């Protein structure tokens, strides 16, 4: 911050701002099976008399949704968030909606992915001391690359 004492004299002050995000609108638990999509509908509202564009930011594995949402004046809508886990785990995540004119609001997410049902493959065998190759198809419904470790 700069203050002018006279035309050729100035006083400068350093200002430190400590800001923290607002509390979450809600805590949501999203539970799904690996390689299966779960849809969550989140209500959003534009309180202004003009249209508003919200930037959407997600933090967490397997979250898919539109990066921008536009609402008309005083409009309410539902934002559809897709959770598509590809590995079994439990983690914290969030989704944040931000607009210059409205500010930000966000939701805390507890993301829980459970093991998918086992897939049965045809029985195969080989003679003792011989090797055998068997191809197994695994579906990856996401756009993310996944590395798998195989053991027997």
């Amino acid at each position: 911050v700069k203050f002018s004492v006279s035309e050729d004299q100035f006083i400068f002050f350093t200002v430190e701002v400590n800001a923290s995000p607002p509390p979450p609108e809600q805590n949501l638990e999203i539970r799904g099976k690996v390689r299966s999509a779960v849809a969550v509908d989140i209500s959003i509202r534009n309180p202004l008399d003009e249209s508003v564009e919200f930037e959407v930011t997600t933090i967490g594995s397997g979250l898919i949704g539109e990066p921008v949402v536009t609402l008309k004046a005083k409009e309410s809508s539902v934002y559809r968030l897709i959770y598509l886990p590809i590995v079994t785990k439990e983690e914290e995540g969030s989704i944040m909606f931000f607009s210059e004119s409205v500010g930000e609001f966000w939701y805390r997410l507890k993301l829980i992915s459970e093991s998918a049902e086992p897939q049965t493959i045809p029985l195969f065998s080989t003679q003792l001391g011989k090797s055998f190759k068997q191809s197994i198809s695994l579906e990856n419904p996401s756009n993310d690359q996944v590395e798998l470790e195989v053991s027997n």
Side-chain angles (χ1 to χ4, degrees):
V1 180
K2 175 179 115 177
F3 292 98
S4 298
V5 177
S6 65
E7 273 188 39
D8 58 345
Q9 292 183 331
F10 303 98
I11 299 173
F12 290 93
F13 293 94
T14 302
V15 177
E16 182 178 328
V17 177
N18 293 319
S20 59
E25 296 291 313
Q26 191 176 357
N27 294 323
L28 301 174
E29 182 177 294
I30 307 173
R31 185 179 297 265
K33 292 192 185 259
V34 171
R35 297 187 319 274
S36 296
V38 176
V40 177
D41 291 335
I42 299 172
S43 297
I44 56 175
R45 181 169 100 50
N46 175 8
L48 303 180
D49 292 324
E50 59 190 48
S51 68
V52 171
E53 184 175 279
F54 290 100
E55 295 174 27
V56 183
T57 304
T58 57
I59 296 173
S61 303
L63 296 175
I64 302 167
E66 293 295 323
V68 175
V69 177
T70 303
L71 296 179
K72 296 176 186 168
K74 302 287 186 186
E75 182 181 23
S76 293
S77 185
V78 173
Y79 180 86
R80 175 149 291 183
L81 178 65
I82 305 295
Y83 178 47
L84 182 60
I86 54 176
V87 295
T88 303
K89 68 177 169 179
E90 188 173 314
E91 69 176 316
E92 295 290 320
S94 64
I95 181 168
M96 183 186 78
F97 299 88
F98 174 77
S99 162
E100 285 287 336
S101 54
V102 175
E104 82 176 43
F105 59 95
W106 66 287
Y107 294 80
R108 180 177 288 125
L109 306 175
K110 183 174 185 180
L111 305 170
I112 302 169
S113 59
E114 302 166 339
S115 296
E117 298 297 322
Q119 294 180 335
T120 304
I121 59 173
L123 182 64
F124 55 90
S125 62
T126 189
Q127 295 176 351
L128 188 61
K130 301 281 184 176
S131 64
F132 179 79
K133 289 184 181 181
Q134 174 69 37
S135 294
I136 300 171
S137 294
L138 297 175
E139 182 183 354
N140 178 5
S142 74
N143 292 329
D144 297 331
Q145 181 176 335
V146 179
E147 286 189 32
L148 301 173
E149 186 176 307
V150 180
S151 64
N152 62 6

